Each structure stands twice: as structure tokens, then as C-alpha cells.
Amino acid sequence: MQDVPGTGAPGEAPADGTGPNPAGKHRTPGARPPWMATARVTVVVAAVGAALCGVLSLANQLTTGETAHPASAPAGGSGTASAPAASPGAGTGSAPGTASPGRWTTAGSAASMVTAFETQLASAVDGALIFAGTSGENTDNTPVVVQGEWSSARLSNGLTERENNTQSLRAGNLTPPVRLPTATTTARIVVSNTDVRRLPVQSAKDAFAGLAQADGPACAECEPIVITGVTSTTMRVNTTVGRLTVPAWSYAVEDSEARIVVPALTPSALINPGPGYRGETAAEFVRSQLPLWRFSMGGDGRVLTAYLDTGEIRARGGCWRLYAVERDSAVAVFATSGRGIPAAPCASSSGRVTLQLAKPLGDRTLLDTYWSRALAP
């Protein structure tokens, strides 16, 4: 396969088809009321308990090396605060990315996403690229694109080609031709003048297998998309290091002028931290978080600015803040509100929230927990 040029210009979106004391009673002057002794015992017990919690909390931080802290104004002292407790009504269930049941929390789901991402990194090749989703709502969080348009013609199941094929692609409902090329190679990816990477390319057969494993919502009435052939090409992909040109496979579809174009880089060379296709956002996220819209990194790489929907803030009330779970490889961010959250600046009337990281983002990956995707700063 030929060398693939690219640019490091970030920010473009991929072109794809988001107790009061009780009342006193009469007693002898100078006598101690009976509740005072109990209160003194309670205070001592509470003090010991608080000290023990502090020791356990410190031990946990030293063991995990993880921080979860709220937004702070860039000019103020950032400090590290405790992770927020579960939002009221968050419910119970498994945290995203884990199989074990337990109490669901916003910080817990963010930590789970970072852990899953670290697992992907462990099996990635040197110089692997990370696919970055576009800001705002995006149901299709994938580099796969449809080149051309599905038609509005009705199929035998009563759906239009557009309705049928959009849902079938998300569900991995495709039929391959009898034979697909099995040859593999490598490609030279130019990130910048000083950053050129040699990455593995998968065969057209393996790339199709990835399409067929799509994890979107099932469509029982949909007809499968019939693939009739494939050609090699290139495509533009949004990554955490900019919008790049990468090798691709272009699949022809029976009775359609549209083609399905898929990056040809192996999954270990182009990592997608989130699911390719999503159904409805999980109820836990809807109840406890607000999605991030526009965002940017500023200052010395420590200050993240994002915007929340002002209509949602007014409708739901409360003080909404930006939080992060930071580790050496990634920083997962989320906006939440609830009782028990340490004092920190709330979102402004324009929905603007800021977050000061414990240290500069550097080459760590920024993860958006609400939409389960990586962001390109």
C-alpha cells in the first residue's frame, strides 16, 4: 500500500453520514443534663471515625494513584477534593466497562472508562492512533463512513433503503461476498513533519469482520446489507493528534450507489475508546450528568473549559461542576451536580465550566464519560 500523507491540524469533524437539644426540664442548678454525657461520647466516636476515614482515604490514593476533583477557577487554588458521591436517584447497577454489580457513581464510571482504555493501550502497537469523536451529541462514534447517500426507495420490509441500511450497519447486519482479500501490509502515516509512523494494515476480510461485529441496537425487521466487492482507498480520520489521512477499504453495496468506507488500520493501530454505535444514553448518565458541548484546553495545558446546556441547567436546577478522574495515561471528565460535592465554582449563566487538572494534560488522552469517547484538545 502506498505511503499515506496526513496533517496534524486538529479540530475538524470527520465526514460521517453524541440536634437541636430537647426542651429543657426543671433540674437542680449546676447538675449536668443526662444528654451531655452521651453527646461527649458521640463527639469522641465521631472524631475517631473521621480520623480513621482520613487514613483509609489517604491509603487508597497512595495505592491507586488516582484523583477525582471538581472544577476550580484558573486563578484560584485548585486543590484535590474527594470524588462526588452518587447523584440522587442514580440507581444501582454495574458501572460501565465492568461486569461486577455494585453502586453506580459518576466517578466510578469515569474510573471504569479509564481502566478499559488502559487495557486497550496495553495491546496497542507503538505509535497507535486514538480515534476522537466530535464535540456534542453523536450517536455514531466511529470512523466508519457512508460515502454517498442511501436512497429513499422502499424495500420489501416496508423500510426505505436509508432506514434499513442505517440500522443494519449499526447492528453489524451485513452479508459478505464469497471472497474478500486476505493480504495484510503496513502504511506510513504522516502526523507532522517530525512525526511519521509505520502502522499495520488489516486485510479487507478482517476489516469486514469488524463491521459485522458492530454493537449497535438490533433491528429485527431489517434486511442485511449485501456487500458485492471492495477496493483500497484512503480516508480522513479525526484523532487525538489531529485529522489524518489513513488507508481504507471501500465496500460496494448491492443495488446502491453508496459505499461503506472503513479505516484499514488494525484495531491495535487505531484505538476507539468507546462503542462504535450507541442506542439511548444509559439512564444513570442521564440522571447524574450533563453532556459536554464546546470545549478547549488552555493555559499551560491544565485548564479545560467546556459548556453545558443552559436549558438543562435551568430545568434541573442545582450547581453543576466539571470533575475529572486523572491517571498517567488518560483523564476522564464529566459534569455533575448533587449533595455531598465539595464547594467549587458552578457553571455560569452561559453554561461555561472550567476544570484545573492536577498536572498538565501532556500526552494523556482526554475522555468524555457521557458520550464514551476520546476528545481532541
Side-chain angles (χ1 to χ4, degrees):
M1 184 166 287
Q2 298 178 346
D3 288 354
V4 179
T7 74
E12 298 179 49
D16 53 14
T18 357
N21 294 330
K25 295 184 179 180
H26 177 73
R27 58 178 180 268
T28 304
R32 293 180 181 272
W35 54 263
M36 185 173 290
T38 303
R40 293 180 63 185
V41 173
T42 302
V43 169
V44 172
V45 172
V48 173
L52 180 58
C53 287
V55 171
L56 293 176
S57 176
L58 176 59
N60 179 66
Q61 290 186 30
L62 292 175
T63 301
T64 63
E66 177 179 302
T67 59
H69 55 85
S72 61
S78 61
T80 298
S82 302
S87 176
T92 58
S94 298
T98 66
S100 57
R103 180 69 179 174
W104 190 94
T105 67
T106 48
S109 71
S112 295
M113 185 177 183
V114 176
T115 298
F117 177 67
E118 290 173 331
T119 300
Q120 290 179 297
L121 287 181
S123 59
V125 300
D126 289 341
L129 302 173
I130 301 169
F131 174 71
T134 55
S135 182
E137 184 174 3
N138 191 358
T139 303
D140 296 353
N141 184 44
T142 174
V144 176
V145 302
V146 175
Q147 199 171 67
E149 296 287 339
W150 302 123
S151 76
S152 57
R154 291 283 173 185
L155 305 181
S156 58
N157 59 7
L159 300 176
T160 65
E161 181 186 79
R162 181 181 299 106
E163 294 168 337
N164 184 91
N165 291 3
T166 297
Q167 296 178 78
S168 285
L169 182 58
R170 292 173 177 170
N173 185 19
L174 302 96
T175 301
V178 176
R179 297 182 64 182
L180 283 172
T182 58
T184 60
T185 184
T186 61
R188 181 173 177 266
I189 309 298
V190 180
V191 178
S192 69
N193 291 336
T194 58
D195 186 355
V196 180
R197 311 179 188 187
R198 177 68 65 175
L199 297 175
V201 173
Q202 63 183 335
S203 69
K205 183 177 181 179
D206 289 341
F208 175 84
L211 279 176
Q213 293 171 4
D215 51 5
C219 178
E221 68 273 22
C222 289
E223 297 178 6
I225 299 173
V226 179
I227 302 299
T228 58
V230 64
T231 57
S232 62
T233 185
T234 61
M235 68 185 297
R236 299 279 282 172
V237 173
N238 211 39
T239 76
T240 56
V241 292
R243 188 162 166 77
L244 307 176
T245 299
V246 302
W249 294 111
S250 177
Y251 296 91
V253 177
E254 184 178 65
D255 298 328
S256 178
E257 296 182 1
R259 299 178 71 91
I260 301 172
V261 185
V262 185
L265 295 176
T266 64
S268 63
L270 180 60
I271 300 172
N272 188 354
Y277 301 95
R278 290 187 297 270
E280 293 184 5
T281 304
E284 292 90 346
F285 287 85
V286 174
R287 284 194 294 262
S288 65
Q289 299 185 42
L290 283 180
L292 308 181
W293 298 99
R294 290 177 293 140
F295 69 94
S296 62
M297 287 298 301
D300 59 355
R302 292 183 62 190
V303 180
L304 171 67
T305 299
Y307 286 84
L308 310 179
D309 188 303
T310 55
E312 285 283 346
I313 293 176
R314 286 193 298 270
R316 298 170 68 165
C319 175
W320 291 85
R321 305 175 176 92
L322 204 56
Y323 278 77
V325 169
E326 297 191 48
R327 292 190 194 163
D328 291 340
S329 62
V331 176
V333 295
F334 54 94
T336 190
S337 173
R339 296 173 181 172
I341 297 177
C346 304
S348 70
S349 58
S350 64
R352 182 178 183 271
V353 284
T354 58
L355 170 72
Q356 185 163 309
L357 302 179
K359 63 180 181 180
L361 182 64
D363 59 0
R364 295 183 294 173
T365 300
L366 194 61
L367 302 174
D368 175 357
T369 66
Y370 191 94
W371 298 118
S372 299
R373 62 188 170 198
L375 298 172

